[in-house]
Amino acid sequence: MDLNRIIKERVLVFDGATGTNLQTQNLTADDFGGEHFAGCNEYLILTKPSAVEKVHIDYLTAGADIIETDTFGSSSIVLAEYGIESLAYQISKEGAAIAKRMAQQFSTKEKPRFVAGSIGPTTKLPSLGHIAFDPMHDSYYEQMAGLLDGGADLFIIETCQDLLQIKAALAAAQDLFRDKRVRIPVITSVTIETMGTMLMGTEIGAALTALEPYDIISMIGMNCATGPKEMEENVRFLTQTSPLPIFVMPNAGLPENVGGVAHYHLTPEELERHMTHFVGDLGVSVIGGCCGTTAEHIARLADLATRITPKQRNYEWAPSAASIYSSVTMHVEPAPVIVGERCNTNGSKKFRDLLLNEEWDTAVSMAKEQVREGAHMLDLCVAYVGRDEVRDMREVISRMNTAVTVPLVIDSTEYPVIEEALKHYAGRSIVNSINLEDGEERMKHVLPLCKKYGAAVIALTIDEDGMAKTREKKFEIAERIIDLSVNKYGMREEDIIFDTLTFTLGSGDDEFRKAGIETIEAIRMIKQAHPKCGTILGVSNISFGLNPHSRHVLNSVFLHFAIEAGLDMAIVHAAKIMPLHKIDERGRELAKQIIYDERVFENMAIAA
């Protein structure tokens, strides 16, 4: 099914609530296979398939284009609560097969019907440590394999409460598609609670940032938790910013507790009115109903779909990174995006000592302090000779995932460490780094990880000859990295951030007198040739070896000129960068002369 093509032609309509429809059938415990299984809707696929068939028939009769399988909780994680986890594949496969038979009976050339394999959030939140990434991935893989083998036309990963849940599901889908040598469309749908965020506190912008890089996703949207009225602000955000088509499946309003049972009061006519606005005014492409919606609700939407065309969306998307809570663009005005450098065992003795003493919470406090000082992102490196870097990364990043509000830059030379970090980080991170020092060796390991987990990457201008010194060589290496990253490994230019590197100007070595200007001009060349790519610098390298005050001045002036050339991001200690107006004129001039190699006499020192 070419879902993207069909979306461009017309509005697609999903079905409504499965549980609500099943409840109208007055099923008994015997229908569920006994009192122990009462309420396990997925088990009905085996114990009373006719009840499941009726749900599908009712929605197909109402005009739904896409029906969902009764497999929301068919993963082994959920079924384990009933002691039937061994049936996860069988239930998933048969659930898809039942839906497929019903869809085929109703399909016509003019109105084909499709089956969406429903994949729920399970009952575990990996970001809170309820379950590790790998077992969640494996459970999703088994569920998806059953759905695919049963005939699902697409997957819908829905009612998502934790971004790490979604990343585990997407990783499973990628692996399944690779193993089966097939690919079907994937919809990801998050649930925004009444307080305006996902259950973990994630804003809709952070969710979009974390999911947008996954090229297996065909659509992104929202379902459950609230009615359409409460969804409107976030739906509007998605339609204004998302490069992906938008999917919306609200409840029939907010539930009211009546006698211990949830009742939903939004009428079919009211749902139609809201969806008319979402489609006609905002540009939503796919609509449906979640909890409380019935065949009558879907019939109204199906009729609406014949009379309305989605508004053409003009979205504004900016490459970004995200924590579990919020998103940060990779370019800000005024530049730069500041990447805090102190949570790095190679550059901070304090952080290194905390690591050695395993004072994990204090290490997290050090990260929070950098955020208070103005850092937009944080560089994280836990490498130390003689220690288990994988374990240390897991200990630190699993805490920072929910404790630090800004995105992380994962800094490691070890591939298992990078993957461990990406498995424990719910947001969208940046991996530091790739280069060509050993040819493609590092790229062939790191870039597939970035693709699998949706990360961006920092690329250093280093090749087989070493660290490039001239602007021409730096640019040449950048061009080579772009070609390989995009054309061979499937990255996008906006996923690549170049560090043109610099040698210190504090060594007094004539060979490096032009290090500053060569670095600055390489930034200019890359940004002019590839404006989608980002640029970043470890600014303090320029002043290594000088006294502290001189370093602060030189770093600040160097950063100023790098920004003028197009620098987007800077790895710095934010508190140690001085605005130019706070540096005396003589100090600014001397720093400029050093950076641009305009010195007229030797042994010049920056004025204290």
Side-chain angles (χ1 to χ4, degrees), residues 434-436 439-441 443-444 447 464 477-492 496 498:
I434 58 171
N435 60 64
L436 294 171
E440 288 185 52
E441 181 64 24
M443 296 179 72
K444 76 178 184 182
L447 293 184
E464 297 86 345
I477 295 172
E479 290 276 70
R480 185 177 162 196
I481 289 175
I482 289 172
D483 178 55
L484 289 168
S485 299
V486 174
N487 297 320
K488 187 170 183 177
Y489 294 100
M491 299 291 284
R492 307 170 300 182
I496 307 169
F498 280 102

Side-chain angles (χ1 to χ4, degrees), residues 304-375:
L304 172 65
T306 66
R307 299 181 279 105
I308 195 169
T309 301
K311 178 185 177 182
Q312 183 69 36
R313 293 191 299 120
N314 296 310
Y315 60 85
E316 295 183 5
W317 171 249
S320 305
S323 68
I324 195 173
Y325 302 115
S326 58
S327 180
V328 176
T329 60
M330 294 183 192
H331 180 85
V332 296
E333 289 293 346
V337 172
I338 295 175
V339 181
E341 65 181 355
R342 295 171 59 210
C343 289
N344 188 318
T345 49
N346 293 320
S348 170
K349 182 180 183 301
K350 180 179 178 181
F351 187 75
R352 182 168 63 248
D353 290 343
L354 292 174
L355 184 81
L356 294 175
N357 294 323
E358 300 192 355
E359 297 180 39
W360 310 119
D361 292 338
T362 308
V364 171
S365 296
M366 201 169 163
K368 292 180 177 180
E369 182 182 354
Q370 291 182 85
V371 176
R372 290 192 294 270
E373 291 175 345

Side-chain angles (χ1 to χ4, degrees), residues 5-65:
R5 178 183 61 79
I6 296 176
I7 289 173
K8 292 177 181 177
E9 295 174 353
R10 60 187 174 90
V11 177
L12 287 176
V13 178
F14 262 69
D15 59 7
T18 297
T20 299
N21 195 312
L22 288 171
Q23 288 170 11
T24 65
Q25 298 182 42
N26 298 315
L27 300 172
T28 67
D30 288 341
D31 292 321
F32 284 94
E35 193 67 39
H36 175 68
F37 301 106
C40 182
N41 292 339
E42 294 76 16
Y43 202 35
L44 291 169
I45 290 169
L46 302 184
T47 62
K48 194 175 180 61
S50 61
V52 179
E53 290 177 357
K54 184 180 186 308
V55 174
H56 296 323
I57 290 170
D58 287 351
Y59 286 128
L60 289 164
T61 301
D65 297 296

